[in-house]
Each structure stands twice: as structure tokens, then as C-alpha cells.
Amino acid sequence: MRILGIETSCDETAAAITDDGSVVHSSVVASQTDIHARYAGVVPELASRAHVERITPVIREALADARTPWNKIDAVAVGHRPGLIGSLLVGVSAAKALAWSLGVPLIGVDHVHAHLHAASLTQPGDPSPPPSHTDHFPALGLVISGGHTSLYLVDSPTAITRLGATIDDALGEAYDKAAAILGIPFPGGPNLDRLAASDDADDRAADLPVSRLGPDSLDFSFSGLKTSLLYAARGIPSSPTQRLPHPAPPPLTPERVRDLAASFQRAAVRAVIFKIERALDAADAGDLGHNARRLARLIVGGGVASNSRLRRELADLAARRTIALHIPQPRYCIDNAAMIAGLAFHLHADGVIADLSLQAHPSATC
Ligand code: KG4
Ligand code: ZN
């Protein structure tokens, strides 16, 4: 089944053609990084206007790359939640118009769930395709992106239950803010990662906190880490009642920026690894309330899944716990439409088909 997927939830205008949930014939992503760079963050109104300008050429390019004429499209899928409402509306409107005019089913896809599908994507003729997404459930799912940081129990590609989520910043958002504190240019996350990964970076230059929350909590928190980085970089503000001011921090030289970036990365990644281990322990103890106790797979998705240190530490964790790690190719970690079209195949098989009343929803439902 050949599905056209459309994704416009944030600042990437994307379209893709996939077969049967996994084979990607084309995946076009028009990034808006250049538009938002000078604001050091995504400006919603600018994002939705850029989607309007780009959506038609991006869809045409996806069809051309896949050598697929309109009459070979079996369904149209769109990420319709969560995201920026103005951005989502552009994709949803385009998908409705196309599904109606082609006379094919319309499928609404949850963007966060689609990130968990990205590890199953492959190219035609791939000599070592990822194992089928339908094998070996239940699995533990982790989505780490600019808008979400959540752990899930994944019973099938479409049966996904949230176990925990960030109570403040998403991990990607924390990376972007940390980069802004350190004066690292937009896009902050990947640039901070690159700097932190330099050979001579000292990841213990600052002792930044690793959040654990309550003893059983599977939630995340990154705002304390962000504040600690701010104080390490710029100094601790003195209170009016304080006799002596806090000592001034070392000057923010390029070497200090690199070392603080590495210290931030170390603490952020440790917090994620810690929660994955806690969730796996809870599963082993039968505390997640599912039938099959041991979770033999970890599925990861979202923009931060391309982080170099995280990928390394996830691989170590998988070896230590003898679980299979499913992590997308870097190009499917960031927002893309192949993951939308891929998951749509499974939703369609479950009979989850929308009509023209499909709504864009800014917030996540699970
Ligand atoms: O999944 P995504 O493309 O968009 C959302 O759904 O949010 O994720 C974008 C986020 C941004 O915050 C970006 O800074 C972060 O992922 N990111 C990274 C890296 N690459 C992208 N964060 C840390 N290290 C990276 N290598
Ligand atoms: Zn995303």
C-alpha cells in the first residue's frame, strides 16, 4: 500500500511516499532553520506562513522522487497532533484536499507516536533492513524531541501507553536553551552536541544535577539542569540579604563554553539513561501492569535521538541489559513525513480512517 505522508507540525515542511509501513521511496524535508535562526527559536506565525509557501512544491518533489503518479497513491496521511496549531492546519488542509480529490482514505497520525515508528523505516533494496516493527512486542518506547520527552509501553505500532513525561522542559528544548545560555548558535541542540563531542572537552568541568524525581517516577525534569548551567556560566545571583556576593564564575572563554556544553550533555544523557533503566526494572518487577514482564526492546525516536553521546550510551545500555535497541537513522530522527506515512499504514490496517472533519490538535492526547 503506497501512502503519501504530510508533516507540518512545527518548522519542517515534509512529504514522503512509503510502501507498506516501512519502505521509504522518497522523503522531502524543507527546514525553516534559516527563517527562525535570528530569533533563536521557532516563531509560530512565520512557521505557518512558510508552510503555506512550501507545502505544494514539497509534495510535488516527494512524488517526483518516488516516480509515483497521483493515481498510484492509495491513501493520504497527515500528522494532525500535537504541534503548533497554525502549522498543523496547513498540513491537515492539504491532506484533506488531496484525499478528497484523489478519492482515497485520509489517515490522521499522532506525531509523537510516529517518532516511535521511525526506527522501522528503510529504503528500497536495503541489504540489512531493520527488523519488522510488528515483532517482539511489548517494548519500551522513548521519544525525545524539541516538544516531548516521554517513555511509553509499546504493545504494537498503534497501541502505545504513556508511562512518564517531562514535567517542565522537553530535552530538545533544554538543549536549545542551554545552547542559548552558552552563546552557541541556532540550531542549538546539534551545535551543542558537536562542541561537547570535541576530543579535549572536559565533561566534569561543572557538576550539574541529574534529575531523578520521586523513587518510582518515570517522569523527567530538565529545568533544574538548565538553571544550574546558567549559574555555572554566568554566576549565582546574590540575594539582597546576603553579606558576601557569590564568587564570580570563570570567564566564558571558548574552552569554558566547550567544557560546560560537555558537562550539560553528560548530565542530560545520564538523566535519560537513568529513567530507561528504572522503567526496565519496573517492567522486570511486573510493575508496569502488562502481561509480558520483560521488555526485550527499546524503541527510540525524536530529534535528540541523533545526539552522539546518547546514541553511544543507549548502545552500552542495550548491551548491558541484553535488549534490542531500535534507533532511527539520523535523517528519520528529526521531523519527517516518512514516519507519518509509515505509521499510517498500521492505523489503516486497524481501520483507523478519518473523514473531512479531521481536526488539528495542538496538544498531545497521550
Ligand atoms: O523531533 P524534532 O525534529 O522536532 C520536534 O518534534 O520537537 O526535534 C527537534 C529537537 C530540537 O530541540 C533540536 O535541538 C534537537 O531536537 N536536536 C538535538 C540534536 N539534534 C536535534 N539535540 C541534541 N543533540 C542533537 N544532536
Ligand atoms: Zn517531532
Side-chain angles (χ1 to χ4, degrees):
M1 182 179 196
R2 188 156 286 204
I3 298 183
L4 164 65
I6 297 173
E7 156 60 36
T8 60
S9 66
C10 189
D11 63 334
E12 260 96 27
T13 316
I17 308 280
T18 65
D19 269 351
D20 301 337
S22 60
V23 180
V24 183
H25 290 285
S26 65
S27 177
V28 178
V29 180
S31 165
Q32 301 178 6
T33 305
D34 50 336
I35 297 176
H36 304 287
R38 68 177 158 135
Y39 306 101
V42 177
V43 182
E45 183 57 28
L46 295 180
S48 42
R49 286 184 203 190
H51 285 310
V52 171
E53 285 165 10
R54 294 168 186 205
I55 188 80
T56 305
V58 163
I59 292 172
R60 282 191 195 285
E61 193 178 332
L63 270 97
D65 284 0
R67 294 188 165 76
T68 298
W70 287 111
N71 63 4
K72 293 286 185 236
I73 298 291
D74 298 312
V76 177
V78 62
H80 74 118
R81 70 170 186 226
L84 301 171
I85 187 65
S87 292
L88 287 168
L89 281 169
V90 178
V92 169
S93 308
K96 282 183 185 176
L98 286 173
W100 178 78
S101 59
L102 296 171
V104 299
L106 170 69
I107 304 159
V109 178
D110 182 297
H111 174 94
V112 184
H113 293 179
H115 271 304
L116 286 175
H117 191 75
S120 315
L121 298 173
T122 180
Q123 283 73 242
D126 188 345
S128 51
S132 156
H133 203 306
T134 47
D135 294 339
H136 314 305
F137 289 110
L140 184 66
L142 170 73
V143 176
I144 34 176
S145 71
H148 303 274
T149 302
S150 308
L151 277 169
Y152 296 92
L153 183 61
V154 188
D155 281 305
S156 82
T158 55
I160 298 169
T161 313
R162 196 167 75 183
L163 301 170
T166 181
I167 58 169
D168 40 56
D169 290 353
L171 182 54
E173 186 185 357
Y175 259 93
D176 294 337
K177 288 177 179 166
I181 289 170
L182 295 175
I184 297 169
F186 185 81
N191 285 337
L192 189 153
D193 180 18
R194 252 189 304 281
L195 203 58
S198 14
D199 282 345
D200 32 10
D202 175 9
D203 65 4
R204 289 167 198 261
D207 186 17
L208 301 177
V210 176
S211 89
R212 294 182 171 80
L213 301 175
D216 300 324
S217 172
L218 295 178
D219 290 332
F220 298 88
S221 167
F222 295 105
S223 65
L225 170 60
K226 191 182 61 189
T227 308
S228 300
L229 176 74
L230 178 70
Y231 290 171
R234 309 260 175 90
I236 305 174
S238 304
S239 71
T241 51
Q242 209 173 315
R243 285 233 210 103
L244 290 173
H246 292 286
L252 216 44
T253 58
E255 292 72 30
R256 176 84 177 149
V257 167
R258 177 201 64 201
D259 292 348
L260 288 179
S263 303
F264 174 88
Q265 176 133 296
R266 174 170 182 266
V269 169
R270 281 184 71 192
V272 174
I273 298 291
F274 178 84
K275 284 296 157 81
I276 295 171
E277 299 247 30
R278 186 179 267 179
L280 292 172
D281 290 343
D284 287 348
D287 290 344
L288 295 186
H290 60 101
N291 299 330
R293 284 197 160 190
R294 188 168 182 280
L295 300 177
R297 294 209 299 161
L298 171 62
I299 306 170
V300 184
V304 190
S306 50
N307 182 271
S308 60
R309 181 162 187 158
L310 187 71
R311 286 176 91 93
R312 208 171 54 238
E313 295 207 16
L314 284 171
D316 292 348
L317 176 144
R320 198 164 61 243
R321 306 277 309 213
T322 53
I323 55 169
L325 174 63
H326 299 273
I327 191 160
Q329 301 167 34
R331 69 176 141 157
Y332 299 134
C333 290
I334 54 155
D335 286 351
N336 66 87
M339 66 183 193
I340 301 287
L343 179 54
F345 171 77
H346 296 279
L347 290 165
H348 183 267
D350 288 355
V352 182
I353 295 167
D355 58 27
L356 295 183
S357 65
L358 181 71
Q359 298 287 316
H361 290 289
S363 38
T365 49
C366 102

